[in-house]
Amino acid sequence: MSEVAPEVVVLTGAGVGLGRAMASELTRKGRRVAGFARTADALEETRRLCARPELFLPVACDVADEAATRAAFAHVRDVAGPVTRLINNAAVYPRGDLLSEPPSHIMDCMAVNLGGMVNCALIALADMTQTGRGRILNVSTFADLAPLPGSSAYSVSKGAARIFTRALIADVCDRFPQIVINDWMPGQLATRMGLVDGLDPAVAARWGVALALSDDRSLTGSIFERDAEQLAPRSLKRRLVERVTLQRAPAARRLQPA
């Protein structure tokens, strides 16, 4: 019997930080990873550091460019096969004061953080809707809820990206319930976009990969922060009904990486 080829996972932002750590974790688990990033040298370094370098396919691509992204996905299909999973991780975090930055400062950030997610998700869905199965994990943040000074471009773009996840689910998941889509917030990491004393990205990568490799349909629409599910607030009426009827309140799930 011939050996079955490993499934293809497209991972954006694979050249540094969390993306690099997730690439290594995915290859450790035997997945074929097509890593997207703008810089070929960074991707080659990621390939070298992967647990199984032979499973990492470097693809230099600016996900903000729709034509370049389509060409990148076509290359992945030709070399490795149809895309079954997508981890939208690519992001930029420019600092700037709204009073001193031109409008293009925000729009350039939107092109990557929102536009890149839109480009990759819609192109990947061309494969996923053919089979009726797939997995999209959008790496997100709660930065839009309380923007920090100097982070307007990042906060606006990531907030819009969270809305895009919900819109994507509304248009796709009723018709294709086995395409699972949700958001994951990895938290403050010790990367160039994060904090010096933040969480080791290798630790976060184990959580993110465990989530990305799960096909549990109940994950669609869920939000995970680090390793824990963040449940939607329950109204006072809902809580009273649960108490009167002796219903159990929903329990948040936790990720258990293997």
Side-chain angles (χ1 to χ4, degrees), residues 125-146:
L125 281 167
D127 284 349
M128 296 177 186
T129 54
Q130 286 293 313
T131 63
R133 303 179 65 89
R135 182 73 173 96
I136 297 176
L137 181 66
N138 290 333
V139 179
S140 192
T141 172
F142 288 126
D144 58 307
L145 298 183

Side-chain angles (χ1 to χ4, degrees), residues 58-186:
V59 183
C61 171
D62 180 358
V63 294
D65 183 328
E66 180 186 348
T69 306
R70 288 193 180 278
F73 272 85
H75 174 66
V76 172
R77 294 185 188 105
D78 289 343
V79 172
V83 174
T84 51
R85 297 180 193 272
L86 167 65
I87 303 174
N88 269 317
N89 171 66
V92 293
Y93 193 163
R95 272 73 168 182
D97 188 332
L98 278 176
L99 297 181
S100 59
E101 296 289 336
S104 60
H105 176 83
I106 287 182
M107 300 315 296
D108 289 345
C109 185
M110 292 285 286
V112 177
N113 295 359
L114 175 62
M117 184 179 290
V118 171
N119 287 336
C120 290
L122 299 187
I123 296 168
L125 281 167
D127 284 349
M128 296 177 186
T129 54
Q130 286 293 313
T131 63
R133 303 179 65 89
R135 182 73 173 96
I136 297 176
L137 181 66
N138 290 333
V139 179
S140 192
T141 172
F142 288 126
D144 58 307
L145 298 183
L148 297 172
S151 69
S152 56
Y154 180 78
S155 300
V156 170
S157 63
K158 296 301 279 187
R162 290 207 297 134
I163 296 172
F164 174 68
T165 298
R166 300 197 295 273
L168 194 61
I169 291 168
D171 273 1
V172 172
C173 294
D174 281 345
R175 283 178 288 173
F176 300 96
Q178 294 187 80
I179 296 178
V180 178
I181 304 172
N182 76 309
D183 280 319
W184 173 54
M185 285 76 167

